[in-house]
Amino acid sequence: MNEQNKFAGTVAVVTGGASGLGLASAKRLLAKGAQVVIADLASSRGAAVADELGAQASFVPADVTSADDMNAVFEAATKRGTLRSLVHCAGRGGAVRLIEKDGSPGSLEAYENVVRVNLFGTFNALRLAAAAMARNEPDAGGERGACVLTASVAAYEGQIGQVPYASSKAGVVGMTLVAARDLASKGIRVCTIAPGLFDTPLLARLPEEIRDSLGRMVPFPPRLGEADEFAALALHILENPMLNGETIRLDGAIRMQPR
Ligand SMILES: NC(=O)c1ccc[n+]([C@@H]2O[C@H](COP(=O)([O-])OP(=O)(O)OC[C@H]3O[C@@H](n4cnc5c(N)ncnc54)[C@H](O)[C@@H]3O)[C@@H](O)[C@H]2O)c1
């Protein structure tokens, strides 16, 4: 493997980069010398975060479900230089039961909203990243770029109430190998990380005792994951040319129970 720094002088797009796993990935990419374009909702802390991260970072407000917004993100990225990396972290939860407690059927609209952000949004980010990367000169190994998508262990063990979330994340897992095959002729790799329980603002909304008890459910280490541990794997995937078409669980061996 070419041990040279793959990131120096290149550009990365990080969706959901204003918070949590995306923000940690943006920080690691910057530390390696990449320029980073953070794509996150206009309502996010993206602008303040990019300011804090310095001149090599910028923020483009974007909803990952919008073709126009995401076109603007990749235009901004390719204006900065050669886009070699995508870390796609934007995502959301949203509980829906097939039969709600009052006996009514689960909301079709709520289901669609989660799938739209997590699954359509992933396809939107991936197709635009791939189209931009395909225009790159290949490196010595023939590679033009690499993409990391974010699923969840809920793709495999969805808990009660997680029908929309689990099915959207299973869609991301299902997309991974076929995307890698689809983009192989262009020298673009695609892998997915399926995180277990990570200590990010997503979980920070829960009371501390619940977060502690969630952490203790993890066989080893018996704690929540740190966002930087996700970022470390994301960068390894981007660096290692043999990783392709695979979803990697990052979960301390947890297997979620029905509830
Ligand atoms: N934290 C965990 O334990 C955990 C576990 C499994 C999977 N994940 C997945 O990891 C990803 C990142 O989660 P996190 O924990 O960092 O959460 P987070 O809430 O800290 O960050 C998610 C970011 O995505 C952004 N976002 C949401 N909808 C968006 C949209 N439509 N367009 C653009 N940006 C949007 C949010 O504004 C936020 O900044 C998500 O896809 C989540 O499903 C997280």
Side-chain angles (χ1 to χ4, degrees):
M1 183 165 113
N2 181 354
E3 293 293 346
Q4 272 180 350
N5 182 352
K6 271 192 164 182
F7 301 104
T10 70
V11 182
V13 166
V14 181
T15 71
S19 175
L21 306 182
L23 176 55
S25 303
K27 286 180 178 166
R28 276 213 177 226
L29 285 160
L30 287 164
K32 286 273 194 174
Q35 300 188 56
V36 174
V37 176
I38 290 174
D40 207 308
L41 293 173
S43 58
S44 74
R45 287 197 65 246
V49 162
D51 265 2
E52 284 157 26
L53 293 176
Q56 297 303 99
S58 59
F59 172 59
V60 179
D63 183 326
V64 289
T65 65
S66 156
D68 289 349
D69 287 4
M70 292 304 286
N71 263 317
V73 168
F74 287 100
E75 257 171 43
T78 47
K79 253 188 207 147
R80 275 191 168 244
T82 305
L83 176 77
R84 288 260 175 205
S85 313
L86 168 71
V87 182
H88 176 66
C89 291
R92 54 162 289 189
V96 176
R97 297 280 298 263
L98 288 166
I99 306 168
E100 297 294 354
K101 285 198 176 110
D102 64 1
S104 63
S107 160
L108 197 53
E109 197 189 351
Y111 182 86
E112 185 175 348
N113 287 341
V114 175
V115 174
R116 181 163 283 281
V117 172
N118 293 350
L119 188 54
F120 288 24
T122 299
F123 176 72
N124 194 25
L126 185 56
R127 74 189 180 105
L128 296 173
M133 289 171 180
R135 297 194 292 270
N136 293 341
E137 282 302 315
D139 69 12
E143 188 171 307
R144 289 188 169 81
C147 304
V148 176
L149 310 178
T150 308
S152 164
V153 294
Y156 307 101
E157 301 112 41
Q159 295 187 292
I160 290 169
Q162 283 190 319
V163 168
Y165 186 73
S167 46
S168 66
K169 294 299 191 178
V172 175
V173 173
M175 186 187 294
T176 304
L177 177 63
V178 64
R181 289 173 163 173
D182 193 339
L183 297 173
S185 63
K186 303 280 191 277
I188 299 168
R189 293 182 295 113
V190 183
C191 278
T192 294
I193 300 175
L197 299 169
F198 275 70
D199 194 8
T200 68
L202 196 96
L203 286 191
R205 289 174 208 124
L206 300 173
E208 196 173 338
E209 62 200 66
I210 295 192
R211 291 170 53 228
D212 286 350
S213 79
L214 282 173
R216 283 195 297 274
M217 286 163 44
V218 183
F220 190 84
R223 60 168 174 80
L224 299 177
E226 292 166 13
D228 189 52
E229 292 166 335
F230 173 95
L233 178 58
L235 264 77
H236 181 75
I237 290 169
L238 294 171
E239 280 178 297
N240 190 328
M242 276 312 279
L243 276 170
N244 198 11
E246 181 61 317
T247 298
I248 302 172
R249 290 182 71 124
L250 187 67
D251 65 3
I254 199 168
R255 298 295 180 268
M256 302 304 287
Q257 296 304 304
R259 60 175 85 232

